[in-house]
Short mmCIF file of all heavy atoms in Angstrom, two decimals:
data_model
loop_
_atom_site.label_atom_id
_atom_site.label_comp_id
_atom_site.label_asym_id
_atom_site.label_seq_id
_atom_site.Cartn_x
_atom_site.Cartn_y
_atom_site.Cartn_z
N ALA A 634 0.84 -1.18 0.00
CA ALA A 634 0.00 0.00 0.00
C ALA A 634 0.88 1.24 0.00
O ALA A 634 1.95 1.25 0.59
CB ALA A 634 -0.90 -0.01 1.21
N ASN A 635 0.40 2.28 -0.61
CA ASN A 635 1.14 3.54 -0.72
C ASN A 635 0.82 4.42 0.49
O ASN A 635 -0.32 4.85 0.67
CB ASN A 635 0.73 4.24 -2.01
CG ASN A 635 1.51 5.48 -2.27
OD1 ASN A 635 2.10 6.05 -1.37
ND2 ASN A 635 1.51 5.92 -3.50
N PRO A 636 1.83 4.74 1.30
CA PRO A 636 1.57 5.54 2.51
C PRO A 636 1.58 7.04 2.29
O PRO A 636 1.25 7.80 3.19
CB PRO A 636 2.74 5.14 3.42
CG PRO A 636 3.86 4.93 2.46
CD PRO A 636 3.21 4.27 1.25
N LEU A 637 1.93 7.50 1.09
CA LEU A 637 2.16 8.92 0.88
C LEU A 637 0.91 9.78 1.08
O LEU A 637 0.98 10.86 1.68
CB LEU A 637 2.79 9.17 -0.49
CG LEU A 637 4.15 8.51 -0.71
CD1 LEU A 637 4.69 8.85 -2.09
CD2 LEU A 637 5.14 8.90 0.37
N ALA A 638 -0.23 9.32 0.62
CA ALA A 638 -1.46 10.11 0.79
C ALA A 638 -1.83 10.23 2.27
O ALA A 638 -2.25 11.30 2.72
CB ALA A 638 -2.61 9.49 0.01
N THR A 639 -1.66 9.16 3.01
CA THR A 639 -1.95 9.21 4.44
C THR A 639 -1.00 10.16 5.15
O THR A 639 -1.42 10.94 6.02
CB THR A 639 -1.85 7.80 5.06
OG1 THR A 639 -2.78 6.95 4.39
CG2 THR A 639 -2.15 7.81 6.54
N ILE A 640 0.26 10.12 4.77
CA ILE A 640 1.25 11.02 5.37
C ILE A 640 0.91 12.47 5.03
O ILE A 640 1.00 13.36 5.89
CB ILE A 640 2.66 10.62 4.93
CG1 ILE A 640 3.02 9.25 5.52
CG2 ILE A 640 3.69 11.67 5.35
CD1 ILE A 640 4.28 8.62 4.94
N LEU A 641 0.52 12.72 3.79
CA LEU A 641 0.12 14.08 3.41
C LEU A 641 -1.13 14.53 4.16
O LEU A 641 -1.27 15.71 4.49
CB LEU A 641 -0.09 14.17 1.90
CG LEU A 641 1.20 14.11 1.08
CD1 LEU A 641 0.87 13.99 -0.41
CD2 LEU A 641 2.08 15.31 1.34
N SER A 642 -2.02 13.60 4.46
CA SER A 642 -3.20 13.93 5.27
C SER A 642 -2.78 14.38 6.66
O SER A 642 -3.38 15.31 7.23
CB SER A 642 -4.15 12.74 5.38
OG SER A 642 -4.70 12.43 4.13
N ALA A 643 -1.76 13.75 7.20
CA ALA A 643 -1.24 14.16 8.51
C ALA A 643 -0.68 15.58 8.43
O ALA A 643 -0.85 16.38 9.37
CB ALA A 643 -0.18 13.19 8.99
N ALA A 644 -0.01 15.91 7.31
CA ALA A 644 0.51 17.27 7.14
C ALA A 644 -0.63 18.28 7.17
O ALA A 644 -0.52 19.33 7.83
CB ALA A 644 1.28 17.37 5.83
N LEU A 645 -1.71 17.96 6.48
CA LEU A 645 -2.87 18.85 6.49
C LEU A 645 -3.46 19.00 7.89
O LEU A 645 -3.88 20.09 8.28
CB LEU A 645 -3.94 18.35 5.51
CG LEU A 645 -3.58 18.46 4.04
CD1 LEU A 645 -4.61 17.73 3.18
CD2 LEU A 645 -3.47 19.91 3.62
N MET A 646 -3.49 17.92 8.65
CA MET A 646 -4.00 17.96 10.01
C MET A 646 -3.15 18.91 10.85
O MET A 646 -3.67 19.74 11.60
CB MET A 646 -4.01 16.56 10.63
CG MET A 646 -4.50 16.53 12.06
SD MET A 646 -4.47 14.88 12.78
CE MET A 646 -2.71 14.57 12.86
N PHE A 647 -1.81 18.77 10.74
CA PHE A 647 -0.93 19.66 11.49
C PHE A 647 -1.20 21.12 11.13
O PHE A 647 -1.27 21.98 12.01
CB PHE A 647 0.54 19.32 11.21
CG PHE A 647 1.10 18.26 12.10
CD1 PHE A 647 0.98 16.92 11.76
CD2 PHE A 647 1.75 18.58 13.28
CE1 PHE A 647 1.49 15.93 12.58
CE2 PHE A 647 2.27 17.61 14.11
CZ PHE A 647 2.14 16.27 13.77
N GLU A 648 -1.37 21.38 9.84
CA GLU A 648 -1.54 22.75 9.37
C GLU A 648 -2.91 23.34 9.73
O GLU A 648 -2.99 24.44 10.28
CB GLU A 648 -1.32 22.82 7.86
CG GLU A 648 0.12 22.54 7.47
CD GLU A 648 0.32 22.32 5.99
OE1 GLU A 648 -0.67 22.12 5.25
OE2 GLU A 648 1.48 22.34 5.57
N TYR A 649 -3.97 22.62 9.41
CA TYR A 649 -5.30 23.19 9.51
C TYR A 649 -6.02 22.91 10.82
O TYR A 649 -6.85 23.70 11.25
CB TYR A 649 -6.16 22.77 8.32
CG TYR A 649 -5.60 23.36 7.05
CD1 TYR A 649 -4.84 22.60 6.18
CD2 TYR A 649 -5.80 24.70 6.75
CE1 TYR A 649 -4.29 23.16 5.03
CE2 TYR A 649 -5.26 25.28 5.61
CZ TYR A 649 -4.50 24.50 4.76
OH TYR A 649 -3.96 25.05 3.63
N ALA A 650 -5.70 21.80 11.49
CA ALA A 650 -6.35 21.51 12.77
C ALA A 650 -5.57 22.12 13.93
O ALA A 650 -6.16 22.57 14.91
CB ALA A 650 -6.50 20.00 12.96
N PHE A 651 -4.24 22.13 13.79
CA PHE A 651 -3.40 22.57 14.91
C PHE A 651 -2.67 23.88 14.64
O PHE A 651 -1.99 24.40 15.53
CB PHE A 651 -2.39 21.48 15.27
CG PHE A 651 -3.02 20.15 15.57
CD1 PHE A 651 -2.55 19.01 14.95
CD2 PHE A 651 -4.07 20.02 16.45
CE1 PHE A 651 -3.11 17.77 15.22
CE2 PHE A 651 -4.65 18.79 16.72
CZ PHE A 651 -4.17 17.66 16.10
N GLY A 652 -2.75 24.40 13.44
CA GLY A 652 -2.07 25.64 13.11
C GLY A 652 -0.55 25.51 13.11
O GLY A 652 0.16 26.50 13.22
N MET A 653 -0.05 24.30 12.94
CA MET A 653 1.39 24.04 12.96
C MET A 653 1.91 23.99 11.53
O MET A 653 2.18 22.93 10.97
CB MET A 653 1.67 22.73 13.72
CG MET A 653 1.18 22.76 15.16
SD MET A 653 1.32 21.18 16.01
CE MET A 653 3.09 21.17 16.33
N MET A 654 2.02 25.19 10.95
CA MET A 654 2.36 25.30 9.53
C MET A 654 3.76 24.77 9.21
O MET A 654 3.95 24.10 8.20
CB MET A 654 2.21 26.74 9.07
CG MET A 654 0.81 27.33 9.33
SD MET A 654 -0.55 26.32 8.70
CE MET A 654 -0.45 26.74 6.98
N ALA A 655 4.73 25.08 10.04
CA ALA A 655 6.11 24.64 9.77
C ALA A 655 6.21 23.12 9.80
O ALA A 655 6.89 22.52 8.96
CB ALA A 655 7.07 25.26 10.78
N GLU A 656 5.53 22.50 10.75
CA GLU A 656 5.56 21.05 10.85
C GLU A 656 4.88 20.40 9.65
O GLU A 656 5.35 19.40 9.11
CB GLU A 656 4.91 20.59 12.16
CG GLU A 656 5.70 20.95 13.39
CD GLU A 656 5.50 22.38 13.89
OE1 GLU A 656 4.82 23.18 13.20
OE2 GLU A 656 6.05 22.70 14.96
N GLY A 657 3.75 20.97 9.23
CA GLY A 657 3.07 20.45 8.05
C GLY A 657 3.93 20.56 6.81
O GLY A 657 4.00 19.64 6.00
N LYS A 658 4.61 21.69 6.67
CA LYS A 658 5.49 21.88 5.52
C LYS A 658 6.64 20.88 5.55
O LYS A 658 7.01 20.33 4.51
CB LYS A 658 6.03 23.30 5.47
CG LYS A 658 6.93 23.54 4.26
CD LYS A 658 7.43 24.95 4.19
CE LYS A 658 8.25 25.26 2.96
NZ LYS A 658 9.12 24.23 2.45
N LEU A 659 7.18 20.63 6.72
CA LEU A 659 8.27 19.65 6.84
C LEU A 659 7.81 18.27 6.38
O LEU A 659 8.52 17.57 5.65
CB LEU A 659 8.77 19.59 8.28
CG LEU A 659 9.94 18.66 8.55
CD1 LEU A 659 11.19 19.10 7.78
CD2 LEU A 659 10.24 18.61 10.04
N ILE A 660 6.61 17.88 6.76
CA ILE A 660 6.07 16.58 6.33
C ILE A 660 5.87 16.56 4.82
O ILE A 660 6.26 15.59 4.16
CB ILE A 660 4.74 16.28 7.08
CG1 ILE A 660 5.00 16.09 8.58
CG2 ILE A 660 4.07 15.04 6.49
CD1 ILE A 660 3.76 16.10 9.44
N ARG A 661 5.29 17.62 4.27
CA ARG A 661 5.09 17.68 2.81
C ARG A 661 6.42 17.67 2.08
O ARG A 661 6.58 16.99 1.05
CB ARG A 661 4.27 18.91 2.42
CG ARG A 661 2.79 18.77 2.79
CD ARG A 661 1.93 19.91 2.30
NE ARG A 661 2.14 21.13 3.08
CZ ARG A 661 2.79 22.20 2.65
NH1 ARG A 661 3.29 22.24 1.44
NH2 ARG A 661 2.94 23.25 3.43
N ASP A 662 7.41 18.37 2.62
CA ASP A 662 8.74 18.37 2.01
C ASP A 662 9.37 16.98 2.04
O ASP A 662 10.06 16.57 1.10
CB ASP A 662 9.66 19.36 2.72
CG ASP A 662 9.30 20.81 2.43
OD1 ASP A 662 8.48 21.07 1.51
OD2 ASP A 662 9.83 21.69 3.13
N ALA A 663 9.13 16.24 3.11
CA ALA A 663 9.66 14.87 3.23
C ALA A 663 9.05 13.96 2.16
O ALA A 663 9.74 13.14 1.55
CB ALA A 663 9.41 14.31 4.63
N VAL A 664 7.75 14.10 1.92
CA VAL A 664 7.09 13.30 0.89
C VAL A 664 7.65 13.66 -0.49
O VAL A 664 7.97 12.77 -1.29
CB VAL A 664 5.55 13.49 0.94
CG1 VAL A 664 4.89 12.87 -0.29
CG2 VAL A 664 4.99 12.87 2.21
N THR A 665 7.81 14.94 -0.74
CA THR A 665 8.40 15.38 -2.02
C THR A 665 9.80 14.82 -2.18
O THR A 665 10.17 14.33 -3.26
CB THR A 665 8.41 16.91 -2.10
OG1 THR A 665 7.07 17.38 -2.05
CG2 THR A 665 9.06 17.39 -3.38
N ALA A 666 10.60 14.87 -1.11
CA ALA A 666 11.96 14.36 -1.16
C ALA A 666 11.98 12.86 -1.44
O ALA A 666 12.82 12.37 -2.21
CB ALA A 666 12.70 14.66 0.15
N SER A 667 11.06 12.12 -0.86
CA SER A 667 11.02 10.68 -1.10
C SER A 667 10.67 10.38 -2.55
O SER A 667 11.27 9.51 -3.18
CB SER A 667 10.06 9.96 -0.14
OG SER A 667 8.75 9.90 -0.62
N MET A 668 9.74 11.15 -3.11
CA MET A 668 9.38 10.95 -4.51
C MET A 668 10.55 11.34 -5.43
O MET A 668 10.85 10.63 -6.38
CB MET A 668 8.12 11.74 -4.85
CG MET A 668 6.90 11.20 -4.11
SD MET A 668 5.40 12.13 -4.45
CE MET A 668 5.08 11.59 -6.11
N ASP A 669 11.20 12.45 -5.11
CA ASP A 669 12.35 12.89 -5.91
C ASP A 669 13.49 11.86 -5.86
O ASP A 669 14.20 11.68 -6.85
CB ASP A 669 12.87 14.24 -5.42
CG ASP A 669 11.94 15.39 -5.75
OD1 ASP A 669 11.02 15.20 -6.58
OD2 ASP A 669 12.14 16.47 -5.17
N ALA A 670 13.64 11.20 -4.71
CA ALA A 670 14.70 10.20 -4.54
C ALA A 670 14.30 8.82 -5.07
O ALA A 670 15.10 7.89 -5.06
CB ALA A 670 15.08 10.10 -3.06
N GLY A 671 13.04 8.69 -5.50
CA GLY A 671 12.56 7.41 -6.01
C GLY A 671 12.23 6.41 -4.91
O GLY A 671 12.14 5.21 -5.16
N ILE A 672 12.01 6.90 -3.71
CA ILE A 672 11.64 6.03 -2.59
C ILE A 672 10.11 5.99 -2.56
O ILE A 672 9.45 6.75 -1.84
CB ILE A 672 12.21 6.55 -1.25
CG1 ILE A 672 13.69 6.87 -1.37
CG2 ILE A 672 11.94 5.54 -0.13
CD1 ILE A 672 14.58 5.69 -1.71
N VAL A 673 9.56 5.11 -3.37
CA VAL A 673 8.11 5.01 -3.54
C VAL A 673 7.69 3.54 -3.61
O VAL A 673 8.52 2.66 -3.84
CB VAL A 673 7.64 5.75 -4.82
CG1 VAL A 673 7.91 7.24 -4.72
CG2 VAL A 673 8.31 5.18 -6.05
N THR A 674 6.41 3.31 -3.44
CA THR A 674 5.88 1.95 -3.51
C THR A 674 5.62 1.56 -4.97
O THR A 674 5.66 2.40 -5.87
CB THR A 674 4.59 1.85 -2.69
OG1 THR A 674 3.71 2.91 -3.06
CG2 THR A 674 4.87 1.91 -1.19
N GLU A 675 5.35 0.29 -5.17
CA GLU A 675 5.22 -0.27 -6.51
C GLU A 675 4.18 0.43 -7.37
O GLU A 675 4.36 0.58 -8.58
CB GLU A 675 4.89 -1.76 -6.39
CG GLU A 675 4.88 -2.48 -7.72
CD GLU A 675 4.67 -3.97 -7.58
OE1 GLU A 675 4.38 -4.46 -6.47
OE2 GLU A 675 4.81 -4.65 -8.59
N ASP A 676 3.11 0.89 -6.76
CA ASP A 676 2.03 1.49 -7.54
C ASP A 676 2.42 2.77 -8.26
O ASP A 676 1.78 3.14 -9.25
CB ASP A 676 0.80 1.74 -6.66
CG ASP A 676 1.08 2.63 -5.48
OD1 ASP A 676 2.17 2.51 -4.88
OD2 ASP A 676 0.22 3.45 -5.12
N ILE A 677 3.47 3.45 -7.80
CA ILE A 677 3.90 4.67 -8.49
C ILE A 677 5.37 4.62 -8.91
O ILE A 677 5.91 5.63 -9.36
CB ILE A 677 3.61 5.94 -7.66
CG1 ILE A 677 4.33 5.92 -6.33
CG2 ILE A 677 2.12 6.14 -7.50
CD1 ILE A 677 4.19 7.22 -5.56
N ALA A 678 5.99 3.46 -8.81
CA ALA A 678 7.41 3.33 -9.16
C ALA A 678 7.64 3.41 -10.66
O ALA A 678 8.76 3.68 -11.10
CB ALA A 678 7.97 2.02 -8.61
N ASP A 679 6.63 3.14 -11.45
CA ASP A 679 6.71 3.24 -12.91
C ASP A 679 7.90 2.47 -13.49
O ASP A 679 8.67 2.99 -14.29
CB ASP A 679 6.76 4.71 -13.33
CG ASP A 679 6.46 4.91 -14.82
OD1 ASP A 679 5.69 4.11 -15.39
OD2 ASP A 679 7.01 5.87 -15.40
N GLY A 680 8.04 1.24 -13.03
CA GLY A 680 9.10 0.37 -13.55
C GLY A 680 10.43 0.49 -12.84
O GLY A 680 11.32 -0.32 -13.03
N ALA A 681 10.58 1.51 -12.01
CA ALA A 681 11.82 1.67 -11.24
C ALA A 681 11.76 0.79 -9.99
O ALA A 681 10.75 0.13 -9.74
CB ALA A 681 12.01 3.13 -10.86
N LYS A 682 12.81 0.82 -9.20
CA LYS A 682 12.82 0.06 -7.95
C LYS A 682 11.67 0.50 -7.08
O LYS A 682 11.41 1.68 -6.91
CB LYS A 682 14.14 0.27 -7.20
CG LYS A 682 14.20 -0.47 -5.88
CD LYS A 682 15.57 -0.37 -5.26
CE LYS A 682 15.66 -0.93 -3.86
NZ LYS A 682 14.95 -2.11 -3.53
N ALA A 683 10.96 -0.47 -6.53
CA ALA A 683 9.85 -0.21 -5.63
C ALA A 683 10.25 -0.60 -4.21
O ALA A 683 11.01 -1.54 -4.00
CB ALA A 683 8.62 -0.99 -6.06
N TYR A 684 9.72 0.12 -3.25
CA TYR A 684 10.01 -0.13 -1.85
C TYR A 684 8.74 -0.57 -1.14
O TYR A 684 7.63 -0.25 -1.56
CB TYR A 684 10.55 1.15 -1.20
CG TYR A 684 11.90 1.54 -1.72
CD1 TYR A 684 12.03 2.24 -2.92
CD2 TYR A 684 13.06 1.19 -1.05
CE1 TYR A 684 13.28 2.59 -3.43
CE2 TYR A 684 14.31 1.53 -1.54
CZ TYR A 684 14.41 2.23 -2.72
OH TYR A 684 15.65 2.56 -3.22
N LYS A 685 8.92 -1.29 -0.03
CA LYS A 685 7.79 -1.68 0.80
C LYS A 685 7.22 -0.45 1.49
O LYS A 685 7.92 0.55 1.70
CB LYS A 685 8.24 -2.67 1.87
CG LYS A 685 8.74 -3.99 1.34
CD LYS A 685 9.19 -4.85 2.49
CE LYS A 685 9.79 -6.15 2.00
NZ LYS A 685 10.32 -6.96 3.09
N THR A 686 5.96 -0.54 1.88
CA THR A 686 5.30 0.55 2.60
C THR A 686 6.12 0.96 3.81
O THR A 686 6.34 2.15 4.06
CB THR A 686 3.88 0.13 3.03
OG1 THR A 686 3.14 -0.22 1.86
CG2 THR A 686 3.17 1.24 3.78
N SER A 687 6.57 -0.01 4.58
CA SER A 687 7.34 0.28 5.79
C SER A 687 8.67 0.96 5.46
O SER A 687 9.14 1.82 6.22
CB SER A 687 7.59 -1.00 6.60
OG SER A 687 8.31 -1.94 5.83
N GLU A 688 9.27 0.60 4.35
CA GLU A 688 10.54 1.23 3.95
C GLU A 688 10.33 2.69 3.57
O GLU A 688 11.15 3.56 3.93
CB GLU A 688 11.16 0.47 2.78
CG GLU A 688 11.64 -0.91 3.14
CD GLU A 688 12.10 -1.72 1.94
OE1 GLU A 688 11.46 -1.63 0.86
OE2 GLU A 688 13.10 -2.44 2.08
N VAL A 689 9.26 2.97 2.86
CA VAL A 689 8.95 4.35 2.49
C VAL A 689 8.69 5.17 3.76
O VAL A 689 9.23 6.26 3.94
CB VAL A 689 7.75 4.43 1.53
CG1 VAL A 689 7.35 5.88 1.27
CG2 VAL A 689 8.07 3.72 0.22
N GLY A 690 7.88 4.62 4.65
CA GLY A 690 7.59 5.32 5.90
C GLY A 690 8.84 5.57 6.73
O GLY A 690 9.04 6.67 7.25
N SER A 691 9.70 4.57 6.82
CA SER A 691 10.94 4.73 7.58
C SER A 691 11.85 5.76 6.95
O SER A 691 12.49 6.56 7.65
CB SER A 691 11.67 3.39 7.69
OG SER A 691 10.92 2.49 8.46
N TRP A 692 11.92 5.78 5.62
CA TRP A 692 12.75 6.77 4.92
C TRP A 692 12.26 8.19 5.23
O TRP A 692 13.05 9.09 5.50
CB TRP A 692 12.73 6.50 3.42
CG TRP A 692 13.75 7.28 2.65
CD1 TRP A 692 14.99 6.88 2.29
CD2 TRP A 692 13.60 8.62 2.16
NE1 TRP A 692 15.63 7.88 1.60
CE2 TRP A 692 14.80 8.97 1.50
CE3 TRP A 692 12.59 9.57 2.19
CZ2 TRP A 692 15.01 10.20 0.90
CZ3 TRP A 692 12.79 10.81 1.59
CH2 TRP A 692 13.99 11.10 0.95
N ILE A 693 10.95 8.36 5.20
CA ILE A 693 10.38 9.68 5.48
C ILE A 693 10.66 10.10 6.92
O ILE A 693 11.04 11.25 7.18
CB ILE A 693 8.88 9.70 5.13
CG1 ILE A 693 8.73 9.64 3.61
CG2 ILE A 693 8.18 10.93 5.72
CD1 ILE A 693 7.32 9.51 3.11
N VAL A 694 10.51 9.19 7.86
CA VAL A 694 10.81 9.51 9.26
C VAL A 694 12.27 9.94 9.41
O VAL A 694 12.57 10.95 10.07
CB VAL A 694 10.51 8.30 10.17
CG1 VAL A 694 11.09 8.50 11.56
CG2 VAL A 694 9.01 8.05 10.25
N GLU A 695 13.18 9.22 8.80
CA GLU A 695 14.60 9.56 8.89
C GLU A 695 14.88 10.90 8.23
O GLU A 695 15.68 11.70 8.74
CB GLU A 695 15.47 8.46 8.28
CG GLU A 695 15.46 7.17 9.10
CD GLU A 695 15.88 7.38 10.55
OE1 GLU A 695 16.87 8.10 10.80
OE2 GLU A 695 15.19 6.87 11.44
N TRP A 696 14.23 11.20 7.12
CA TRP A 696 14.41 12.49 6.46
C TRP A 696 13.96 13.62 7.36
O TRP A 696 14.64 14.64 7.49
CB TRP A 696 13.64 12.51 5.13
CG TRP A 696 13.98 13.68 4.27
CD1 TRP A 696 14.92 13.72 3.28
CD2 TRP A 696 13.41 14.99 4.32
NE1 TRP A 696 14.96 14.96 2.71
CE2 TRP A 696 14.04 15.77 3.33
CE3 TRP A 696 12.42 15.59 5.11
CZ2 TRP A 696 13.73 17.11 3.11
CZ3 TRP A 696 12.10 16.91 4.88
CH2 TRP A 696 12.74 17.66 3.90
N ILE A 697 12.82 13.43 8.01
CA ILE A 697 12.31 14.46 8.92
C ILE A 697 13.27 14.66 10.09
O ILE A 697 13.55 15.80 10.48
CB ILE A 697 10.89 14.10 9.41
CG1 ILE A 697 9.90 14.24 8.26
CG2 ILE A 697 10.48 14.95 10.61
CD1 ILE A 697 8.51 13.72 8.56
N LYS A 698 13.80 13.59 10.63
CA LYS A 698 14.75 13.70 11.76
C LYS A 698 15.99 14.51 11.37
O LYS A 698 16.53 15.24 12.18
CB LYS A 698 15.18 12.33 12.23
CG LYS A 698 14.13 11.56 13.00
CD LYS A 698 14.69 10.22 13.41
CE LYS A 698 13.70 9.39 14.18
NZ LYS A 698 14.26 8.06 14.53
N LYS A 699 16.42 14.36 10.12
CA LYS A 699 17.63 15.05 9.65
C LYS A 699 17.37 16.50 9.26
O LYS A 699 18.30 17.27 9.10
CB LYS A 699 18.22 14.30 8.46
CG LYS A 699 18.77 12.95 8.81
CD LYS A 699 19.25 12.22 7.56
CE LYS A 699 19.67 10.80 7.89
NZ LYS A 699 19.98 10.05 6.68
N ASN A 700 16.12 16.83 9.03
CA ASN A 700 15.79 18.16 8.55
C ASN A 700 14.95 18.92 9.55
O ASN A 700 14.53 19.97 9.40
CB ASN A 700 15.07 18.07 7.19
CG ASN A 700 16.02 17.56 6.12
OD1 ASN A 700 16.78 18.31 5.55
ND2 ASN A 700 15.99 16.26 5.85
#
């Protein structure tokens, strides 16, 4: 399963429910970075290497920790 839409939903929650705009942007930036790096699940890999849902989620968490 592709976790990116759920993660982006969390970004919207941070922004619009809690007014935490910087945190929401950081989450959205992490999703963009994962797509730019090709860290995506099979459904959107378009023939490139595909990662497991848990791998994509872990990559995004690590990106957020570093940024």
Side-chain angles (χ1 to χ4, degrees):
N635 185 340
L637 299 181
T639 301
I640 293 169
L641 289 171
S642 294
L645 290 171
M646 179 181 67
F647 273 87
E648 293 168 346
Y649 294 101
F651 305 129
M653 300 173 77
M654 304 308 282
E656 291 82 353
K658 182 178 184 323
L659 182 63
I660 294 167
R661 287 186 286 107
D662 289 348
V664 169
T665 298
S667 88
M668 294 179 72
D669 289 346
I672 311 298
V673 296
T674 50
E675 186 175 9
D676 58 322
I677 60 174
D679 196 30
K682 179 173 173 39
Y684 292 82
K685 295 179 184 176
T686 301
S687 60
E688 292 172 321
V689 174
S691 294
W692 191 95
I693 289 174
V694 168
E695 291 305 315
W696 191 93
I697 290 171
K698 287 180 180 179
K699 293 176 186 173
N700 293 277

